Each structure stands twice: as C-alpha cells, then as structure tokens.
C-alpha cells in the first residue's frame, strides 16, 4: 500500500529507488479548518536525500538511453492516471492548500496537460542541423540530458509547479529528486504516485518531503547532482544561487514578484475592474503572477477606486470546498501572520484600508487562516507595501499622471515577473510590451493565469537561468552535443 490507511489518518511515505520509505512523520493540515489533518508525511533527512541521489544516478544510464518516444509513452500514462483520479487530487489540493475547488480542478487539468505536452516532446526533441562550409561534412547538435536534477517546489501551485519541472526533466532523460513544500506536499506526492503506477523505472523519480533547510542543503551537496530547479521566495533563491554556484551546478530560479496592472483612462472600465480583482484576490493573492499594485491613470482614478472597492466587497471568503466561495484562506499561520504584518505596515504608511484590513473571525473562520481582501489607496512608490512582495490578498492602488508615469512606477521595483495593461490603445499596448521590465505580460487580461505552451519566467530579482515551460523548458533540462562528421 502506498499510503497506509490503517489509522484514519493516511501516512504518505517518501519514494526512493522505487520503494516507499517509512519513518517519523510531520502533519499536513487543512488551512481552512485546522482541526482537519489531511495526512502525515514521512519526514526525510539528509541521508534519505543521499540515498535518493544515489538511486537517481544508478537509474540514469538506462533512462537516458531509452528512446525518447518510449519515455513519452510513460508520461502519457502518468497523465491518464491523473485523469482517472482527477476529483480526488483536486479535493486533496483544496484541503491542503486552501484554494477553491474550481481553482484546484483547473490546476489538476493543467498538470495533466503539462504531462501530455511533454510526453509529445518525446517525439520531437529537436536539435539543430545546418550545412557545413566543408565538403562532405555533416554537422548537427543533439540534445542530451543534464543528469541528476534536484527539483524544489513551493506550496502555491502544489501540483502544477512540480508537474512543469518533473515532466520536461523526465522526457529529456534526466532522473530527479523532488522535494515539495512542507505545507502542501500531497499534490506533488500524487504526481509521484502516478509516476510509480505508470511504471516509470525505479530510481528515475525520487521524492523526499521534509525541512527545506536540511533537505535543500543535502540536495545541493549531493555528489551526483548536476542541476537544480527552484521555485519559491527570492531570499531562498539567492541562497541557492550562491551555494549552487560553488559547485557550478546548472540552476533555474523562479522567485518573487510585485506585479503591476496598469489601468489607462481609455480601458474597457468594467473589464479592467474585473481583471484587477481577479488578479489581486483569486487564489487568495497567493499566485506568483498576482497583481499587488494597480497603477491607475489620474483621469479615472477616483471612479476606478470606488468600483474596485465595491466589487471586492462582494467577494466571499471561506472554505474552498464549499460552493460559491471566491477566496480561501492563507496557506498557514506563518503566511497569514506575514500578510497581517504587511497590513499593519500599510496602515502606518497609507492610512486605513478602503476595505478589509483584518483577519476574519467568528464561526467557522476561527478554525482557519482567513484574511479579508484588503485595498490600500493612494499608495506611493516609496512605501514598503509598494515595494515588497506580500503574497496575500492585499492590493496597493497607485495614481499615475499619464501612461509614461504609469510605466515608470510599474518598473520601479526590484522584481520583474508579470505585468498587465488595460487599454484600448494599440500604440500603448506595444509601448507597454517593449518598455515593461517583466517576463510575462498580459493585455486586457488578469496579470495571472498563464498556460504551459510558451516560456514562463521573469526578469530582474524574480528569475535566474533558462525559462520554464513550453519549448524553453528543454534549454534547462538538456545540454547540446555538437557533432562534425566527415563522410
Ligand atoms: P520558499 O519558502 O522559498 O520555499 C520553496 C521551497 O524551497 C520549499 O520546498 C521549501 O521547503 C524549500 N526550501 C526552504 N528553505 C530552503 C533552503 N534553505 N534550501 C533549499 N530549499 C529550501 O517559498 P514558498 O513560501 O514555498 O513559496 C512562496 C514564494 O514562491 C513566493 O515568494 C512566490 O512569489 C514564489 N513563487 C514564485 C513563482 C515563480 O514562478 N516565479 C511561482 C510560485 C511561487 P519547506 O517548505 O520545507 O520550507
């Protein structure tokens, strides 16, 4: 049995060399109702990571030697298994992370699509072939896997992010050690369970849950490791950068954001309000691409602020398993405390919020980490709440004199993940596309809500290394071998 259900609380084991490894456990609780224990996870240690790395190294020659379409066939099976367990995986995600059930279903759908997309890549895996300047010389570059890869993932997309690292790593012929976020490890565990059930050979996928500090260091120090892909906070990302560079590991870092939505006076007003509310508050503002600053052109500032606050007040906060809920809880006590601390800072800097501004209490709210969606108005660039990532349902509304001023404000942060413009002026659209310092841009859409078929990632302090997803993913998970052949 993969998860032992002898007691009422399931125990989810680590997975090393194709075996489920038992041990001491830690709790995974529902942030909407902390009385509910979702499961117990086996707490891996540095020695579990060492075992996992050895297993990944042993499995590498056979896995990388397998025909890529055959690896693809196994990834198609993974997608099929996820499809069969769709409802259970989505419900698990809502219970461990707090996002609403429709959002969780959307994420599971995305993980399935990601596995199918990269399964198909097994039949393409294009390299390069170009004409040589020399007679009877054929020259070409083929892709080879990097080797053993460490995957470190956050809690906010607990299935999609592990999926968009795991699937391209595997199709390219790498073997992996996956370490999920401790507050929401079950969704990643379900992917690993599907890999096991699909028949992916032993040692190709290894899963170790437990403390990021201990396991993160152990992964970075594991001798066979050749590359590490990390998504999470900027602080930990920078630490990984310095540690991994000492060993010249290949690194891919996706980190924090302070994403703007620019609303110009010529925008479709209602749609701009809707897109801003969606991007700022859905998924409890816990998307890396969420809007945390809305920069509004002076001419419509007051009217827009009023409409934004009115629409936000209509949002329903509660347990994401219940129908009709728009916004779930913060993922845990620590994240809620961070959000409340920033709300205190915001009150000192910008005065009382126009809505929200507090933890929700009373009745079922008392059992979870619920924060009211919060809007601060007249926020200026020098304020902490305009500069630092909060990662919760807190929106700063900022006034811009005109488009040029809005662009200046938008770019005046250390981050550069996503950004949006709301306008009907096509010239402004292209100015925004060319001038905005961010890796993911949307026009007349929410700043959050990306797909998997194109490169994903940011610039400045938000990202480092090759982009994820789409065709770009293979740039990280493969190296080129260039061949010159005289015939
Ligand atoms: P986090 O605290 O940085 O953790 C991310 C992962 O790293 C977790 O698995 C964590 O394990 C692990 N970790 C912790 N300390 C480590 C260490 N010293 N060495 C190696 N790994 C370590 O981030 P989070 O709170 O889970 O996620 C929220 C952050 O992720 C936000 O800043 C958000 O913007 C960012 N994010 C960025 C993107 C993007 O694409 N740019 C996407 C999603 C999220 P534990 O859970 O055990 O601590």
């Amino acid at each position: 049995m993969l998860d032992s259900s002898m007691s009422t609380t399931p125990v989810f084991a680590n997975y090393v060399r194709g075996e489920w490894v038992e041990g001491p456990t830690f709790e995974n609780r529902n942030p909407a109702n902390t009385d509910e224990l979702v499961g117990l996870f086996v707490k891996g240690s540095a020695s579990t990571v060492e075992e996992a790395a050895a297993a990944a190294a042993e499995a590498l020659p056979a896995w990388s030697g397998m025909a890529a379409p055959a690896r693809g066939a196994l990834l198609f099976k993974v997608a099929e298994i996820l499809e069969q367990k769709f409802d259970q995986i989505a419900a698990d995600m809502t219970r461990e992370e707090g996002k609403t059930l429709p959002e969780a279903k959307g994420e599971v759908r995305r993980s399935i699509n990601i596995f199918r997309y990269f399964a198909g890549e097994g039949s393409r895996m294009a390299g390069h072939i170009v004409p040589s300047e020399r007679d009877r010389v054929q020259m070409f570059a083929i892709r080879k896997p990097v080797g053993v890869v460490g995957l470190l993932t956050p809690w906010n997309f607990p299935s999609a992010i592990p999926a968009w690292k795991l699937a391209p790593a595997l199709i390219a012929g790498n073997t992996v050690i996956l370490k999920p976020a401790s507050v929401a490890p079950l969704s990643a565990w379900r992917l690993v369970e599907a890999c096991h059930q699909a028949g992916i050979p032993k040692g190709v996928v290894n899963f170790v849950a437990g403390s990021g500090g201990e396991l993160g260091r152990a992964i970075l120090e594991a001798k066979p490791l050749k590359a590490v892909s990390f998504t999470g906070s900027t602080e930990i990302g920078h630490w990984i950068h310095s540690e991994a560079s000492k060993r010249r590991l290949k690194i891919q870092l996706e980190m924090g954001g302070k994403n703007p939505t620019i609303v110009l006076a010529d925008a479709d007003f209602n749609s701009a309000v809707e897109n801003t509310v969606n991007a700022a508050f859905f998924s409890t503002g816990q998307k890396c691409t969420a809007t945390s600053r809305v920069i509004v052109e002076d001419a419509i500032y007051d009217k827009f602020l009023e409409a934004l606050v009115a629409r936000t007040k209509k949002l329903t906060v509660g347990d994401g398993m219940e129908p009709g809920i728009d916004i779930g809880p913060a993922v845990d006590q620590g994240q809620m405390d961070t959000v409340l601390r920033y709300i205190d800072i915001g009150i000192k800097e910008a005065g009382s919020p126009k809505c929200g501004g507090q933890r929700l209490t009373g009745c079922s709210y008392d059992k979870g980490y619920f924060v009211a969606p919060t809007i601060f108005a007249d926020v200026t660039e020098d304020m902490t709440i305009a500069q630092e990532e909060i990662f919760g349902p807190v929106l700063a509304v900022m006034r811009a004199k005109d488009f040029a001023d809005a662009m200046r404000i938008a770019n005046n942060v250390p981050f550069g993940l996503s950004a949006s413009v709301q306008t009907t002026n096509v010239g402004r659209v292209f100015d925004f596309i060319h001038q905005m310092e961010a890796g993911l841009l949307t026009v007349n859409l929410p700043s959050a809500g990306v797909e998997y078929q194109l490169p994903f990632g940011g610039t400045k302090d938000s990202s480092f290394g090759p982009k994820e997803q789409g065709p770009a993913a293979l740039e990280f998970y493969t190296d080129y071998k260039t061949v010159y052949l005289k015939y």
Side-chain angles (χ1 to χ4, degrees):
M1 216 159 30
L2 304 182
D3 60 290
S4 107
S5 306
M6 308 287 280
S7 64
T8 48
T9 307
V11 177
F12 298 95
N14 285 323
Y15 184 65
V16 176
R17 206 177 261 104
E19 306 288 333
W20 297 98
V21 182
E22 304 288 345
T25 57
F26 64 95
E27 290 183 351
N28 178 15
R29 283 194 179 269
N30 182 342
N33 173 9
T34 52
D35 287 349
E36 186 191 349
L37 192 53
V38 177
L40 293 170
F41 272 77
V42 172
K43 190 173 189 300
S45 63
S47 66
T48 326
V49 168
E50 222 172 285
E51 267 300 300
E58 283 160 30
L60 185 64
W63 180 247
S64 60
M66 185 187 278
R71 291 197 295 264
L74 289 169
L75 295 200
F76 275 121
K77 263 195 207 166
V78 172
E80 199 52 48
I81 291 164
L82 296 174
E83 189 87 68
Q84 284 157 13
K85 297 184 180 169
F86 184 89
D87 289 328
Q88 180 197 357
I89 298 173
D92 281 348
M93 191 190 300
T94 294
R95 289 166 64 229
E96 74 166 350
E97 202 272 351
K99 62 181 65 184
T100 66
L101 192 56
E103 286 173 329
K105 285 183 176 174
E107 185 173 339
V108 180
R109 172 62 47 214
R110 188 154 147 202
S111 296
I112 292 168
N113 290 344
I114 287 166
F115 267 91
R116 293 209 170 112
Y117 176 87
F118 284 106
E121 198 59 55
S123 308
R124 293 185 289 268
M125 201 73 73
H128 297 286
I129 181 161
V130 295
S132 168
E133 292 184 355
R134 290 170 280 183
D135 283 343
R136 297 182 67 77
V137 168
Q138 181 72 66
M139 56 190 285
F140 54 94
I142 54 170
R143 288 182 184 275
K144 300 302 286 179
V146 175
V148 177
V149 183
L151 310 176
L152 298 157
T153 58
W155 45 263
N156 66 327
F157 285 99
S159 177
I161 293 179
W164 81 51
K165 294 184 191 297
L166 202 47
L170 295 179
I171 199 61
N174 302 286
T175 56
V176 307
I177 309 163
L178 169 61
K179 191 233 134 353
S182 297
V183 290
L186 180 51
S187 303
W189 190 93
R190 291 280 177 218
L191 299 177
V192 173
E193 178 192 45
C195 290
H196 173 81
Q197 291 172 349
I200 289 183
K202 291 178 182 185
V204 171
V205 175
N206 301 277
F207 173 94
V208 189
S211 150
E214 182 184 352
L215 302 187
R217 181 169 283 288
I219 288 173
L220 289 173
E221 289 177 354
K223 282 204 181 71
L225 201 79
K226 289 287 185 286
V228 62
S229 176
F230 165 86
T231 302
S233 60
T234 302
E235 186 193 353
I236 305 287
H238 286 175
W239 179 79
I240 289 175
H241 185 194
S242 65
E243 290 301 304
S245 299
K246 291 178 193 160
R247 288 186 57 193
R248 290 177 303 284
L249 295 175
K250 193 171 183 183
I251 49 177
Q252 178 179 57
L253 308 172
E254 285 303 333
M255 302 170 283
K258 191 71 192 170
N259 312 307
T261 289
I262 294 173
V263 181
L264 298 181
D266 60 41
D268 175 332
F269 188 86
N270 292 336
S271 143
V273 171
E274 212 51 46
N275 288 340
T276 307
V277 169
N278 175 310
F281 299 121
F282 286 14
S283 296
T284 322
Q286 297 178 150
K287 288 179 183 168
C288 48
T289 49
T291 287
S292 57
R293 300 176 292 150
V294 59
I295 303 164
V296 188
E297 203 171 357
D298 193 39
I300 57 161
Y301 182 92
D302 293 335
K303 186 178 163 205
F304 187 82
L305 177 61
E306 193 185 330
L308 192 64
V309 171
R311 176 68 184 90
T312 302
K313 282 181 174 167
K314 288 191 184 136
L315 295 173
T316 312
V317 183
D319 183 339
M321 289 300 279
E322 289 168 16
I325 296 296
D326 298 306
I327 297 177
V331 75
D332 67 356
Q333 175 90 44
Q335 194 59 35
M336 182 182 70
D337 290 347
T338 300
V339 171
L340 294 174
R341 186 169 55 80
Y342 274 108
I343 288 175
D344 281 346
I345 292 171
I347 290 169
K348 288 190 191 96
E349 291 181 330
S352 298
K354 297 293 170 195
C355 61
Q358 77 285 347
R359 180 180 183 174
L360 293 168
T361 52
C363 304
S364 56
Y365 282 141
D366 287 338
K367 294 190 170 179
Y369 305 118
F370 297 99
V371 178
T374 299
I375 294 179
F376 286 103
D378 302 327
V379 174
T380 52
E381 290 163 81
D382 53 318
M383 294 181 187
T384 310
I385 57 166
Q387 290 294 326
E388 294 183 10
E389 182 181 53
I390 300 173
F391 219 53
V394 181
L395 178 64
V397 187
M398 306 175 78
R399 190 188 295 265
K401 287 196 282 288
D402 52 22
F403 174 69
D405 195 36
M407 286 304 304
R408 191 191 53 71
I409 295 169
N411 281 328
N412 185 18
V413 288
F415 300 103
L417 188 54
S418 76
S420 174
V421 70
Q422 311 287 313
T423 180
T424 50
N425 180 326
V426 76
R428 294 281 184 251
V429 167
F430 278 93
D431 286 338
F432 168 78
I433 290 170
H434 292 301
Q435 293 169 21
M436 188 66 226
E437 296 164 3
L440 299 159
L441 305 178
T442 73
V443 178
N444 298 327
L445 287 167
S447 67
V450 298
E451 300 184 32
Y452 54 89
Q453 311 93 314
L454 282 175
F456 174 97
T459 181
K460 294 160 82 174
D461 275 0
S462 291
S463 302
F464 184 83
K467 297 276 187 272
E468 304 204 82
Q469 305 198 65
L474 291 183
E475 296 305 320
F476 179 70
Y477 291 106
T478 60
D479 278 337
Y480 285 110
K481 252 185 199 170
T482 304
V483 181
Y484 296 85
L485 185 156
K486 175 87 178 168
Y487 60 95

